[in-house]
Amino acid sequence: MNTAQPITDMKLIKDVMEVYRKGSKQYLLLAYSLNTGLRISDILRANVKDSLRGIWKNREEKTNKEKLIELNPKLQLLIRDYVVAEELAEGDYLFYSNKDRSKPISRVQAHRIVAHAGDMIGITLSCHSLRKTFGYMAYKQDVDLALLQYIFNHSSQAVTLRYIGITQDEANKVTTRLSIGI
């Protein structure tokens, strides 16, 4: 079984984001995934009203826990531009289906969008990879591990480290590079 891996190189993230036209639904889906750390099943339920208020608020599908996330300002600007360009109403899904605007795109369609972006730059990419990338990049930018554990609803910090791809090799890099008092 293949396990989703985070993208650990900022250049690859930039390359992924350049696959789709800025302002498109596909581009926004990638940006939303990379900047919220939400599961794709939760992202697809994002509505225009809350998104324009700068939040994602819902009950997580997997855990059934109520969750509220504030969206970062750059993501909010992308959302505003997208909503205006697509002429979306407050009651619409942000990632609406072209077949039926009263429904969101399917998880399968979201997977196709993400996998295609990966294929275009020569990497294997899944929706879950983007969630893990959020965690990996946050960790590398010194976000507290306990906070990431809380965000992901993990039972321990060890689970979170394994989840975001921090391996023994990563730990060894710290001990081999660090020299204190010698």
Side-chain angles (χ1 to χ4, degrees):
M1 176 171 82
N2 288 341
T3 303
Q5 296 299 318
I7 305 170
T8 59
D9 181 343
M10 285 300 289
K11 175 160 181 356
L12 282 178
I13 292 172
K14 185 177 182 284
D15 292 346
V16 164
M17 294 305 296
E18 290 177 350
V19 169
Y20 294 112
R21 178 185 52 80
K22 190 172 184 177
S24 69
K25 184 187 311 182
Q26 297 85 350
Y27 183 94
L28 183 60
L29 180 68
L30 295 174
Y32 205 104
S33 298
L34 287 167
N35 286 280
T36 62
L38 289 167
R39 291 176 187 89
I40 195 63
S41 58
D42 295 323
I43 289 170
L44 296 180
R45 293 185 293 137
N47 63 54
V48 170
K49 182 180 179 182
D50 286 342
S51 297
L52 288 176
R53 290 178 43 216
I55 61 171
W56 179 92
K57 180 182 174 187
N58 218 316
R59 195 166 284 282
E60 287 184 305
E61 190 172 286
K62 184 176 180 180
T63 65
N64 204 30
K65 292 180 183 177
E66 188 72 29
K67 193 167 193 172
L68 181 133
I69 294 177
E70 288 187 33
L71 306 176
N72 78 45
K74 288 183 179 181
L75 182 58
Q76 288 180 47
L77 285 173
L78 286 174
I79 291 168
R80 283 190 190 107
D81 291 347
Y82 170 77
V83 167
V84 169
E86 295 294 317
E87 300 177 356
L88 298 177
E90 281 193 349
D92 291 339
Y93 284 103
L94 198 56
F95 302 103
Y96 65 90
S97 168
N98 291 338
K99 293 178 183 174
D100 182 352
R101 286 182 74 109
S102 68
K103 295 180 181 177
I105 62 173
S106 68
R107 286 176 57 174
V108 170
Q109 183 60 24
H111 173 76
R112 285 184 191 128
I113 290 167
V114 173
H116 175 72
D119 290 346
M120 294 303 292
I121 65 162
I123 63 171
T124 301
L125 198 58
S126 69
C127 297
H128 213 68
S129 299
L130 300 180
R131 177 172 156 87
K132 289 182 175 191
T133 299
F134 165 85
Y136 180 87
M137 290 298 170
Y139 180 77
K140 288 298 187 177
Q141 293 177 29
D142 297 323
V143 171
D144 184 59
L145 186 57
L147 186 54
L148 286 174
Q149 176 188 348
Y150 171 78
I151 289 169
F152 288 133
N153 286 316
H154 288 161
S155 59
S156 71
Q157 290 183 3
V159 169
T160 301
L161 284 171
R162 195 168 48 251
Y163 183 77
I164 63 175
I166 303 299
T167 63
Q168 185 61 48
D169 289 342
E170 294 272 330
N172 289 344
K173 287 178 187 174
V174 172
T175 58
T176 58
R177 275 194 245 143
L178 197 58
S179 177
I180 302 170
I182 55 173

